[in-house]
């Protein structure tokens, strides 16, 4: 009796659209479809999976929400950029203490990113390393023009991670880029000159295929950010104390 109850629960765990979404994901893998490739149309999917159009449509909606697919109006359904990867996979935006979150993210990055820079210097192709350099220059260009450099900054760190040729590293990119965006927002972009200097040091070391120097430069870049976060936290505490005294 108990076994049959558990079996019943297992059978109701997935809806039909969820099962179809899994089948579509398997098709993507089996056919080695990558970002920008077009998915078979609705009728073809119905025939291949032996399901109705409604189930296919709901399954596609699920995969769009998971950033596996994207719908281009009038053109069809395509594999999304970085399929399965979303901007805030761990729900960081909902943490109430964003300073504490920024410090904890930076603590993790100080462990991970020097290794990334080290391996990037050793494994990156000339083309990939050239892209890191281009991104470094683009960050500088945005800073010197007085524009928001954070999107370029995120791409700079992303391009370094890609140089590792490690399948796990790209999955950590949203954590790194979220941290970059959060730090830039919290510090009011006060470390602009330090950002340029830090990025140049990392860029030069990677270009020279000097893994140890790249790791050290990345570590120093992140330590500078941590010092700034400590200062921001201290300032917040002073303001709270001052407001408490005023009451």
């Amino acid at each position: 009796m108990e076994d049959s109850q558990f079996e019943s629960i297992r059978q109701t765990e997935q809806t039909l659209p969820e099962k179809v979404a899994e089948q579509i994901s398997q098709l993507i893998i089996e056919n080695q479809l990558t970002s920008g490739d077009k998915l078979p149309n609705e009728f073809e999917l119905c025939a291949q999976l032996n399901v109705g159009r409604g189930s296919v449509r709901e399954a596609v909606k699920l995969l769009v929400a998971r950033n596996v697919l994207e719908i281009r109006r009038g053109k069809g359904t395509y594999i999304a950029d970085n399929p399965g990867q979303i901007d805030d996979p761990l729900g960081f935006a909902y943490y109430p203490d964003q300073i504490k979150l920024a410090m904890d993210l930076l603590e993790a990055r100080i462990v991970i990113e020097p290794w990334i820079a080290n391996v990037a210097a050793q494994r990156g192709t000339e083309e990939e390393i050239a892209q890191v350099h281009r991104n470094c220059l683009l960050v500088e260009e945005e800073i010197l023009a007085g524009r928001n450099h954070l999107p370029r900054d995120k791409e700079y760190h992303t391009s370094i991670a890609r140089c590792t040729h490690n399948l796990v590293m790209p999955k950590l990119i949203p954590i790194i880029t979220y941290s970059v965006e959060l730090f830039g927002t919290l510090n009011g972009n006060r470390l602009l000159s330090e950002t340029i200097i830090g990025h140049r040091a990392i860029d030069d070391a990677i270009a020279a295929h000097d893994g140890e120097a790249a790791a050290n430069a990345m570590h120093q870049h992140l330590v500078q950010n941590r010092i700034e976060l400590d200062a921001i936290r201290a300032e917040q505490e002073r303001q709270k104390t001052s407001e408490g005294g005023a009451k």
Side-chain angles (χ1 to χ4, degrees):
M1 178 69 175
E2 188 175 350
D3 288 343
S4 65
Q5 287 178 339
F6 282 124
E7 184 63 30
S8 176
I9 291 171
R10 282 195 290 269
Q11 288 175 354
T12 59
E13 280 179 351
Q14 279 191 316
T15 64
L16 180 56
E18 287 171 338
K19 291 179 180 178
V20 175
E22 282 193 2
Q23 290 176 307
I24 293 173
S25 296
Q26 192 60 39
L27 280 176
I28 292 169
I29 295 169
E30 289 175 356
N31 294 316
Q32 299 183 351
L33 301 179
T34 59
S35 300
D37 288 342
K38 190 175 183 179
L39 196 70
N41 65 40
E42 195 174 273
F43 295 104
E44 292 172 322
L45 287 173
C46 289
Q48 288 185 51
L49 304 177
N50 195 29
V51 294
R53 293 175 63 187
S55 296
V56 167
R57 287 176 181 173
E58 291 303 313
V60 167
K61 287 180 183 178
L62 288 173
L63 294 173
V64 168
R66 297 169 189 168
N67 194 46
V68 175
L69 300 175
E70 63 173 338
I71 297 172
R72 301 178 187 175
R73 293 191 180 279
K75 295 184 177 179
T77 304
Y78 292 78
I79 312 302
D81 290 336
N82 302 311
Q85 182 176 301
I86 57 178
D87 289 337
D88 186 14
L90 302 179
F92 288 140
Y94 297 95
Y95 281 64
D97 189 341
Q98 291 288 288
I99 288 286
K100 175 67 166 61
L101 173 62
M103 295 180 79
D104 286 354
L105 283 169
L106 196 55
E107 188 173 72
R109 288 178 63 193
I110 286 174
V111 174
I112 296 168
E113 279 202 274
W115 180 89
I116 289 175
N118 187 330
V119 176
Q122 298 176 57
R123 296 182 184 170
T125 66
E126 292 306 318
E127 182 179 349
E128 290 168 337
I129 290 173
Q131 184 60 53
V132 171
H133 180 62
R134 284 193 291 271
N135 288 331
C136 182
L137 295 179
L138 287 170
V139 173
E140 290 189 26
E141 183 180 304
E142 296 297 284
I143 289 174
L144 296 175
R147 296 188 292 264
N148 178 18
H149 73 285
L150 293 177
R152 296 294 190 185
D153 198 328
K154 291 190 291 186
E155 183 55 37
Y156 173 72
H157 285 270
T158 298
S159 61
I160 294 173
R162 289 196 187 108
C163 288
T164 64
H165 294 259
N166 181 298
L167 293 176
V168 177
M169 286 305 111
K171 302 305 179 184
L172 299 180
I173 287 173
I175 297 174
I176 295 170
T177 56
Y178 190 94
S179 176
V180 170
E181 181 80 34
L182 179 59
F183 177 74
T185 301
L186 290 172
N187 78 0
N189 293 324
R190 289 197 292 267
L191 296 180
L192 298 180
S193 60
E194 289 84 353
T195 295
I196 291 175
I197 293 169
H199 282 191
R200 283 182 181 176
I202 298 165
D203 183 44
D204 289 345
I206 291 175
H209 299 285
D210 188 335
E212 184 177 353
N216 289 337
M218 180 66 79
H219 183 267
Q220 184 57 41
H221 176 56
L222 296 173
V223 165
Q224 184 66 54
N225 289 356
R226 184 171 62 189
I227 292 170
E228 176 65 14
L229 277 176
D230 286 338
I232 293 171
R233 168 68 81 174
E235 179 60 28
Q236 282 192 344
E237 293 300 324
R238 283 194 295 269
Q239 288 179 357
K240 287 180 182 178
T241 302
S242 176
E243 290 170 2
K247 293 178 182 179

